[in-house]
């Protein structure tokens, strides 16, 4: 059902709660997410301002702390006060605020808060119900916990960089920095998990978020492929592997840019057929031996010569159309094709316009307002987006420091066991499939919820048919990809297209607190399971629907997968080398960080229901959620009229700032120098070579001017080292550096091992298999990994008997009617 954006003046889902936000670049997005959900978020800044205020781009390119577009984007909706917490008076004022607040977010280096006398043990004594979230590059403890983690280093060590880029060049990052934002999204969901436990018990806790783990959890199937079958996935740039050495393009040049389309057969073959029918209508039909019914063809078995001919024909066709023409034609014909969007495309997008996504925000001293990304999710109960511009430095000192704040709403839950998991007793009916949906509900199942996952053999879950498979043997119960996102869940197989299934599904709805799904809009409605249907069955139900483009609007029925959304949202545009076709970040990148946004909103909706007794519908557009992470680049276009472009691994200000080759083939180390002191340290580590002592390299401006020569010199030096020893040497000396971890390297990474990131379970059919652990550690309620992913229909009898109380006779009748598999 379409949902409208309610007025921003009304109370939000989290309106009773106060958040103290001490984050700079690392984790700043966490406070923004909580503010968008209605919490009062107070940015506590040092007298000189948050470090985030010094991050470009800047309004009119004026590097003023009040004009940072990073600050504008991710501090919108917050308030600002100035405190020097390193002084006794500043620390005491912070303690006063802590006494009457609900959350504290911080992104300092591990140990900093303890050194200034504000560690969790001290703050807990002041306020036992405080949830404190610490977001750092590598976590609070472990062998690499004190490593510096700027964006290039963090993305390299988390594994995404190795998988991204062209095979004949160094691995590459997304030019618009991602590391701090990914950690921030993880901080938001970690905060909400701990908050829900507090609602039940009154007990706060410390949440320790690792940015490296936040990245490691966005690698699609790649890491699990190594863990399950010892196959190291490598980067392929704009190509998709078709078996062996064969490949076919994913990203295509068109008349005014690029589009994303990959040829598929089998269950999605009709969508490929539709493209070739369109091509034939316009005179671009492949030769006879390259014409197929893609339903029947395994594209991986086609010869390379045939694939090259198909590729050439498609490339010629795409060049005759614009991005918008191809997108519109693809939608009309049911083809999964998306433009490689940039900021201009985003601001002109008809779907976003129809959903009133962008909002106008006024700024003091300016004679015009600016268009900002709006709500990341739409709720029938409250507005879920920015409510005001980012604050000026110290703008709210008087009003915040002069009043008491939060109202910790825990009284009605006091007395429950403090050892209970946060979602113990929560019942979730889960229709989700593929990536974003299952990972969203895994945040609940990993922390105690009973999640009943409904599948149908008539439309087999896509990931059950996706590699890697245990021992390389395909089977619907053997996919490591599926297993990674469905641990700790119960699985039932029900043909909900069968009219006889309606009663049992409605009984499951009456049992549930939450219903989740991520099909194309209208899918569940066809089976009588839309929100308007199920709230008649369960009036206080919370329903969460995640679709590519949200409910309502001209393109809302457009289907697609994560890699396509990454193209439409702009991540592909921002990734790659300026002299080449842009490349996608590996895999279904957006699926996995968007689950953090979605799960946070879902928990906020549950909190709202506990306080009000009212359910609601959450309409989560994956596109609108993804754009939150690109907000600084979008604002650069909105306020400066500048389209940011991909720039390999380079930084606008820092040099060296690149990925350098190491001793063995395809091994690399990321090195970042952001200060002259770090440069001098690097020069000393290199043995003070004559070239590095030249005066032209003494300053950042000089190093930027001569960056190409600088990189060539450093690359000759790094070839003498293996990545990990080089990283450890440079980090030990004070230079930010990080091994560019392959998936094989992730499984031997010392810090990930210390954090217990990869968890192994024994599956009835797969045997021992790995999956990603949670990227945050809750001090009072650590994640419990109890059961592996369910086999198809594994828990039919248990759920129908023990959960719904059905008799053997009733179950037999359902089986005889073809409802159960």
């Amino acid at each position: 059902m379409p949902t409208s954006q309610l007025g921003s003046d009304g109370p939000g889902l989290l309106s009773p709660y106060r958040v103290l936000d001490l984050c700079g670049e690392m984790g700043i997005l966490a406070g923004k997410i909580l503010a968008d959900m209605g919490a009062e978020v107070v940015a506590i800044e040092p007298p000189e301002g948050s470090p985030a205020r010094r991050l470009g781009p800047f309004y009119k390119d004026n590097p003023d702390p009040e004009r940072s577009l990073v600050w504008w984007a991710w501090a919108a909706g917050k308030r600002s006060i100035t405190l020097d917490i390193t002084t006794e008076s500043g620390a005491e004022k912070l303690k006063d605020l802590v006494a009457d607040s609900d959350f504290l977010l911080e992104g300092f280096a591990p140990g900093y808060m303890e050194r200034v006398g504000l560690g969790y043990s001290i703050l807990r004594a002041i306020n036992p119900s405080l949830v404190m979230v610490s977001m750092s590059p590598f976590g609070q403890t472990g062998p690499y916990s004190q490593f510096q983690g700027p964006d290039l280093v963090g993305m390299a060590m988390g594994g995404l960089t190795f998988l991204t880029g062209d095979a004949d060049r160094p691995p590459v990052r997304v030019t618009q920095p991602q590391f701090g934002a990914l950690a921030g999204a993880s901080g938001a969901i970690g905060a909400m998990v701990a908050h829900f436990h507090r609602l039940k018990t009154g007990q706060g806790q410390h949440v320790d978020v690792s940015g490296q783990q936040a990245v490691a959890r966005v690698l699609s199937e790649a890491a699990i492929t190594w863990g399950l079958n010892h196959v190291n996935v490598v980067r392929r740039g704009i190509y998709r592997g078709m078996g062996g050495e064969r490949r076919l393009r994913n990203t295509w040049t068109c008349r005014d840019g690029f589009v994303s389309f990959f040829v598929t057969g089998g269950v999605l073959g009709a969508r490929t057929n539709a493209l070739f029918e369109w091509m034939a209508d316009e005179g671009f039909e492949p030769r006879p031996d390259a014409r197929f019914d893609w339903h029947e063809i395994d594209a991986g078995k086609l010869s390379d010569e045939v694939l090259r001919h198909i590729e050439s024909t498609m490339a010629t066709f795409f060049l005759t159309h614009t991005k918008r023409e191809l997108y519109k034609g693809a939608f009309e014909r049911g083809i999964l094709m998306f433009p490689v969007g940039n900021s201009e495309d985003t601001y002109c997008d008809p779907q976003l316009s129809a959903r009133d996504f962008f909002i106008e925000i006024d700024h003091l001293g300016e004679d015009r307002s600016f268009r900002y990304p709006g709500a990341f999710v739409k709720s029938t109960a409250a507005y879920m987006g920015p409510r005001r511009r980012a604050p000026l430095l110290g703008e709210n000192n008087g009003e915040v420091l002069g009043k008491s704040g939060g109202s910790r709403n825990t009284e009605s839950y006091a007395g429950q066991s403090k050892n209970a998991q946060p979602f113990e007793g929560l019942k979730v009916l889960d229709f989700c499939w593929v990536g974003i949906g299952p990972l969203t509900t895994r945040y609940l199942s990993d922390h105690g919820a009973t999640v009943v996952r409904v599948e149908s053999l008539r439309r087999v879950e896509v990931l059950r048919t996706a590699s890697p498979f245990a021992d390389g043997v395909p089977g619907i119960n053997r996919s490591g990809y599926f297993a990674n996102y469905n641990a700790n869940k119960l699985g039932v197989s029900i043909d909900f297209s069968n009219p006889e299934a309606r009663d049992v599904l409605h009984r499951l709805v009456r049992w549930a607190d939450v219903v989740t799904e991520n099909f194309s809009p209208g899918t569940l409605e066809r089976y009588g399971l839309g929100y308007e249907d199920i709230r008649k069955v369960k009036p206080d139900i919370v329903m969460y629907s995640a679709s590519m483009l949200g409910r309502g609007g001209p393109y809302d029925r457009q289907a697609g997968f994560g890699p396509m959304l990454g193209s439409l949202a702009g991540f592909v545009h921002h990734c790659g080398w300026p002299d080449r076709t842009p490349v996608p970040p590996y895999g279904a990148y957006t699926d996995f960080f968007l689950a953090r946004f979605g799960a946070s909103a879902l928990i906020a909706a549950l909190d709202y229901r506990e306080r009000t007794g009212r359910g609601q519908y959450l309409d989560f557009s994956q596109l609108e959620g993804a754009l939150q992470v690109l907000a600084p680049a979008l604002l650069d276009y909105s306020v400066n009229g500048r389209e940011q472009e991909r720039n390999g691994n380079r930084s606008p200000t820092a040099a060296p700032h690149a990925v350098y080759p190491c001793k063995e083939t395809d091994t690399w180390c990321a090195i970042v120098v952001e200060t002259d002191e770090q440069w001098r340290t690097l020069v000393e580590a290199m043995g003070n070579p004559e070239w590095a002592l030249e005066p032209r390299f003494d300053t950042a401006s000089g190093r930027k001017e001569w960056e190409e020569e600088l990189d060539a010199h450093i690359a000759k030096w790094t070839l003498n080292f293996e990545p990990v020893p080089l990283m450890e040497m440079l980090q030990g000396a004070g230079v930010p550096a990080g091994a560019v971890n392959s998936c094989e390297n992730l499984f031997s990474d010392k810090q990930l091992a210390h954090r217990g990131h990869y968890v192994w379970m024994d599956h009835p059919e797969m045997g021992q298999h790995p999956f990603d652990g949670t990227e945050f550690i809750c001090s009072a309620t650590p994640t419990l990994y109890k059961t592996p992913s369910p086999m198809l229909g594994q828990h039919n009898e248990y759920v129908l008997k023990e959960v719904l109380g059905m008799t053997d006779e009733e179950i037999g009748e359902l089986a005889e009617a073809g409802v159960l598999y």
Side-chain angles (χ1 to χ4, degrees), residues 171 306 339 572 635 772 804:
V306 168
V572 177
L635 281 182
D772 289 296
L804 296 185

Side-chain angles (χ1 to χ4, degrees), residues 553-605:
Y555 284 81
D556 73 341
R557 300 300 172 97
Q558 175 69 359
F561 297 98
M564 301 163 191
L565 182 70
S567 176
L568 181 64
F571 291 93
V572 177
H573 170 78
H574 285 279
C575 193
W577 304 97
D579 61 332
R580 287 192 176 179
T581 300
V583 299
Y586 182 80
Y589 174 60
T590 56
D591 273 7
F592 306 109
F593 73 73
L594 283 175
R596 300 163 197 176
F597 283 82
S600 297
L602 184 51
I603 299 168

Side-chain angles (χ1 to χ4, degrees), residues 202-519:
Q203 177 187 23
Q205 57 183 307
H206 186 212
V207 181
D208 170 11
V209 177
S210 159
Q212 182 187 25
Q213 288 183 274
V215 178
R217 290 201 81 183
V218 301
L219 304 184
S220 295
E221 87 297 347
I224 302 306
T225 298
W226 173 262
L228 195 61
N229 292 326
H230 282 200
V231 173
N232 214 13
V233 177
V234 296
R235 62 194 177 280
R236 295 194 177 97
I238 63 172
Y239 293 94
R240 177 171 179 248
M242 306 298 288
E245 296 298 315
R246 295 184 298 278
R247 62 184 189 172
L248 198 63
R249 290 175 71 109
N250 281 345
T251 307
W252 307 81
T253 305
C254 64
R255 205 161 70 199
D256 62 345
F258 305 93
V259 293
S260 175
F261 175 82
F262 55 88
V263 170
T264 55
V267 68
L268 295 176
R271 298 181 184 273
T272 303
N273 285 339
L275 174 65
F276 282 94
E277 290 165 6
W278 183 10
M279 290 167 54
D281 289 344
E282 298 191 5
F284 295 95
E285 189 170 15
R287 68 195 188 202
D289 67 335
R291 299 174 195 166
F292 310 105
D293 178 353
W294 289 93
H295 270 125
E296 309 297 330
I297 288 294
D298 180 352
K301 295 181 179 178
L302 298 178
S303 71
D304 190 64
E305 194 271 335
V306 168
L307 287 173
R308 296 288 72 75
H309 170 70
I310 291 171
E311 181 175 283
S312 175
T313 307
M314 293 172 64
T316 305
F317 167 73
F318 287 131
L319 283 170
T320 65
H321 290 282
T322 66
K323 287 184 285 187
R324 182 58 57 189
E325 289 168 352
L326 289 167
Y327 187 32
K328 183 174 184 293
F331 176 69
E332 292 169 349
R333 293 168 173 84
I335 301 167
L336 300 183
M337 182 195 305
F338 290 80
V340 173
N342 57 23
S343 295
E344 180 182 9
D345 296 326
T346 299
Y347 276 106
C348 296
D349 187 280
Q351 177 69 10
L352 295 174
S353 177
R355 284 173 54 84
D356 297 322
F357 173 62
F358 290 104
I359 60 174
E360 298 284 337
I361 294 184
D362 294 321
H363 280 255
L364 287 179
E366 302 297 333
D367 58 2
R368 66 186 181 103
S369 60
F370 301 108
R371 294 180 75 201
Y372 275 66
F376 72 87
V377 63
K378 291 186 176 182
S379 162
T380 54
Y383 171 72
M384 298 278 274
R387 295 162 181 265
R388 64 183 71 86
R389 60 169 170 78
L392 303 176
L393 179 61
E395 181 176 354
N396 308 105
N397 279 351
E399 63 181 284
V400 172
L401 293 174
K403 73 168 188 176
S404 61
S407 55
R408 295 178 301 282
N409 186 41
T410 59
E411 292 81 358
S412 62
Y413 297 92
Q416 293 192 23
S417 170
K418 293 186 178 182
N419 295 321
Q421 279 288 298
F423 303 112
E424 194 170 312
L426 182 71
K427 297 168 288 188
V428 181
L429 179 59
D430 183 14
F431 291 102
C432 293
W433 69 332
V434 196
I436 179 177
L439 187 52
T440 299
T441 54
R442 223 199 96 180
Y443 282 113
L444 305 180
S445 67
D446 279 357
H447 296 93
T450 299
V451 176
V452 173
R453 196 178 193 286
V454 181
E455 300 180 72
S456 171
L457 193 59
R458 289 188 182 275
R459 190 181 187 188
V460 176
E461 149 74 277
V462 170
L463 292 194
R464 283 192 179 274
T465 65
S467 62
F469 297 104
D471 305 318
V473 179
I476 58 174
N477 294 316
R478 301 183 61 79
S479 169
Y481 206 164
F482 175 86
N484 194 24
Y485 304 119
N486 291 286
N488 293 326
K489 300 177 185 178
L490 302 173
V492 298
S493 54
I494 297 174
D495 178 10
F496 44 85
S497 67
N498 187 325
E500 299 294 324
R502 182 75 54 87
D503 178 64
V504 70
L505 289 169
H506 281 183
R507 290 173 71 169
L508 283 168
V509 168
R510 281 190 289 272
W511 163 82
D513 300 298
V514 177
V515 173
T516 60
E517 60 98 6
N518 64 314
F519 297 118

Side-chain angles (χ1 to χ4, degrees), residues 12-19 30 33-34 37-40 101-105 120 127-133 186-208 406-414 416-418 420-424 426 443-444 447 599-612 776-781:
L13 298 185
L14 297 182
S15 57
Y17 306 108
R18 170 182 276 184
V19 182
I33 293 170
L34 298 182
M37 296 192 296
E40 179 194 6
S101 295
D102 305 283
F103 301 87
L104 184 144
L105 313 176
Y120 176 64
N127 180 355
S129 67
L130 180 74
V131 170
M132 178 174 176
V133 183
S186 295
I189 179 59
M192 294 306 296
V193 168
H195 171 60
F196 207 76
H197 178 255
R198 173 177 57 195
L199 291 180
K200 298 169 65 175
T201 67
Q203 177 187 23
Q205 57 183 307
H206 186 212
V207 181
D208 170 11
S407 55
R408 295 178 301 282
N409 186 41
T410 59
E411 292 81 358
S412 62
Y413 297 92
Q416 293 192 23
S417 170
K418 293 186 178 182
Q421 279 288 298
F423 303 112
E424 194 170 312
L426 182 71
Y443 282 113
L444 305 180
H447 296 93
S600 297
L602 184 51
I603 299 168
L606 290 168
D607 170 85
Y608 179 85
R609 187 180 67 174
E610 297 291 354
R611 288 184 285 107
T612 67
F776 52 85
I777 298 172
C778 294
S779 61
T781 57

Side-chain angles (χ1 to χ4, degrees), residues 17-242:
Y17 306 108
R18 170 182 276 184
V19 182
L20 306 179
D21 185 353
L22 284 77
C23 295
E25 181 179 10
M26 175 56 63
I28 187 174
L29 186 56
K32 171 65 161 55
I33 293 170
L34 298 182
D36 282 359
M37 296 192 296
E40 179 194 6
V41 179
V42 180
I44 298 178
E45 304 186 65
E48 68 276 14
S50 167
R53 291 181 179 271
R54 295 188 284 279
L55 298 173
F58 295 91
Y59 176 43
K60 295 184 178 178
D61 293 328
N62 178 359
D64 185 291
E66 301 293 6
R67 294 189 168 207
S68 163
L69 301 185
V70 171
W71 180 257
W72 283 19
W74 291 334
K78 301 180 184 179
R79 303 183 189 278
S80 168
I81 65 171
T82 52
L83 280 181
D84 184 353
I85 64 172
T86 65
T87 66
E88 183 177 353
S89 62
E92 288 304 313
K93 288 180 180 177
L94 180 63
K95 291 176 183 178
D96 289 342
L97 290 169
V98 164
D100 208 10
S101 295
D102 305 283
F103 301 87
L104 184 144
L105 313 176
E106 61 97 0
F108 297 112
Y112 177 84
M113 292 292 281
E114 284 79 6
R115 289 194 294 275
V116 298
L118 295 167
Y120 176 64
S121 60
I122 292 173
L123 301 183
R124 179 179 60 185
I126 297 168
N127 180 355
S129 67
L130 180 74
V131 170
M132 178 174 176
V133 183
S134 297
M135 290 158 280
S136 62
F138 306 103
Q140 296 296 300
T141 63
Y144 298 159
S145 62
Q146 295 300 318
F147 278 13
Q148 297 179 72
D151 181 76
L152 184 65
V153 169
M155 298 303 286
M157 293 182 67
L160 186 67
T161 301
F162 180 84
L163 296 166
T164 302
D166 299 317
D168 63 337
R169 285 193 181 178
V172 70
R173 69 166 184 162
V174 179
T175 299
Q176 170 61 46
Q178 302 287 291
F179 189 51
L182 294 182
S186 295
I189 179 59
M192 294 306 296
V193 168
H195 171 60
F196 207 76
H197 178 255
R198 173 177 57 195
L199 291 180
K200 298 169 65 175
T201 67
Q203 177 187 23
Q205 57 183 307
H206 186 212
V207 181
D208 170 11
V209 177
S210 159
Q212 182 187 25
Q213 288 183 274
V215 178
R217 290 201 81 183
V218 301
L219 304 184
S220 295
E221 87 297 347
I224 302 306
T225 298
W226 173 262
L228 195 61
N229 292 326
H230 282 200
V231 173
N232 214 13
V233 177
V234 296
R235 62 194 177 280
R236 295 194 177 97
I238 63 172
Y239 293 94
R240 177 171 179 248
M242 306 298 288

